[in-house]
Every structure is written in C-alpha cells, then in structure tokens.
Amino acid sequence: MTSTDSAQQPADAPAKAPAKDPWDLPDVSGLVVGVLGGTGPQGKGLAYRLARAGQKVIIGSRAAERAEAAAQELGHGIEGAENAECARRSDIVIVAVPWEGHGKTLEALREDLVGKLVVDCVNPLGFDKKGAYALKPEEGSAAEQAAALLPDSRVTAAFHHLSAVLLEDPEIDEIDTDVMVLGEVRADVEIVQALAGRIPGMRGIFAGRLRNAHQVEALVANLISVNRRYKAHAGLRVTDV
C-alpha cells in the first residue's frame, strides 16, 4: 500500500458535517421572559421593547404592587409580579437590578431560578467627580457572581450597552445597536442572541465565555463618557460580522 493509499478515507466513511451557520438561531417567540428589576429604567425599557416585539413578558419587583403598576403603564400584555413569582413563571430571566442589590437579590432567588436561563445585564460601576468608572467584583464580574450564586441555573450575560432612554421611547421604532452575549453553553448563548434579535435594529453577537464579562460590563463607563461629551445615547456595532 502506498502512502497515498493509506491517506485515503474508506469509501463508506461518513461525510463531515458542514459548519453550523452562526446566524442560524432558534425560535424564541414562545418563551416567557421575566425581568427582575423591571421597574427601573433599564428593566422597564427591555420589558417594553421585548413585549412590543411580541414576546410574553413579566416584570418582577420586590413589591408586586410596583411591578403591576409598571406593567400597566407599559401595556403590550406585560404582567407584573413579585420577584420570586416572576422567576418561577419565566423561561428566561433578565437580571436588571442595581449593582448594590445584585448579590442579595440572586441569593434570595436561588431556588426559584433553578433550571432557568438567566441573562445578567448588570454593570458594576462607581461614580465620583471624574465620572463613571468600572468596579471589579471579587468573582471577576457581575455575571460571574451570578454564576457562583446560581449553580443550578444557566447563566449568560447580555444587554449591557443599551440606552434606557432609547429603550423607553415609544417614538423610536428601531434601535441601531449590537448586543454582546457571553456564556459557557453555546445553545444558551444562541437563545439570548435570538432574543436580542427580536428587537428591531438589534443583533445578538457571541462575545466569549463569562470570564470575559468584566471588560464588557466595564465598557459602559466609557459609553457614559461618550454620552456626556456628545449629548448622545451611544451603543455599539461590531464590524465585519
């Protein structure tokens, strides 16, 4: 047998499967999305945009009455509930609480979030006379803190760089921006990418594993500086993708 013969594959060898199209994303239209911290600007804005796109959305708050009032204000079939109920009733749970209450909130909801796909969009930031600056949690990032506190949940990170002003403005039909999505399991990341893509003008872009979440969260401090300098509501676009 020649070296050429030995290099040939057997005739009955299975053909190599083609590479998966990275833009072949799942249908998420039937999933229920809960937004913890849904009465704050970022949470309300995300809830509004997703519901306006046809997603079933539940707003969560520590007080059910606040959540219900916010839901009624936003319309589009959004419901309001206390945080634990919101978590239990949802397939995907977006965490949009203030950084100061991030750890305690997730710790209290650990059982309610078992098996859930959790999307952390919290940005640990500090502010002083020079403006916004990034904080680095002991775990490395807010997303990694969430993963540590929720060992039985599927934690991802996304929606960090969105302007609450644009999200909440009913006169704006499309938001021209990309959403960086991070996570350990590609299938979970693709679900979040697809969810981002439900909002007109947005794309969800895979941006690595959770260990890379800190720099994504920290970039918000730079965007705040951009917004102040140029009186804008800056977002991000990833080129050549």
Side-chain angles (χ1 to χ4, degrees), residues 10-28:
D12 59 349
K16 185 177 181 181
K20 184 180 183 296
D21 180 353
W23 297 111
D24 180 14
L25 301 173
D27 178 9
V28 298

Side-chain angles (χ1 to χ4, degrees), residues 179-225:
V179 173
M180 310 283 273
V181 185
L182 304 97
E184 299 301 316
V185 178
R186 186 63 58 89
D188 292 339
V189 169
E190 289 179 350
I191 290 172
V192 181
Q193 286 180 264
L195 186 66
R198 296 273 288 160
I199 301 174
M202 287 191 193
R203 295 188 306 173
I205 303 287
F206 171 66
R209 294 179 178 270
L210 289 184
R211 68 180 184 180
N212 294 323
H214 170 67
Q215 55 264 40
V216 173
E217 297 169 2
L219 187 59
V220 174
N222 301 90
L223 291 178
I224 290 172
S225 296

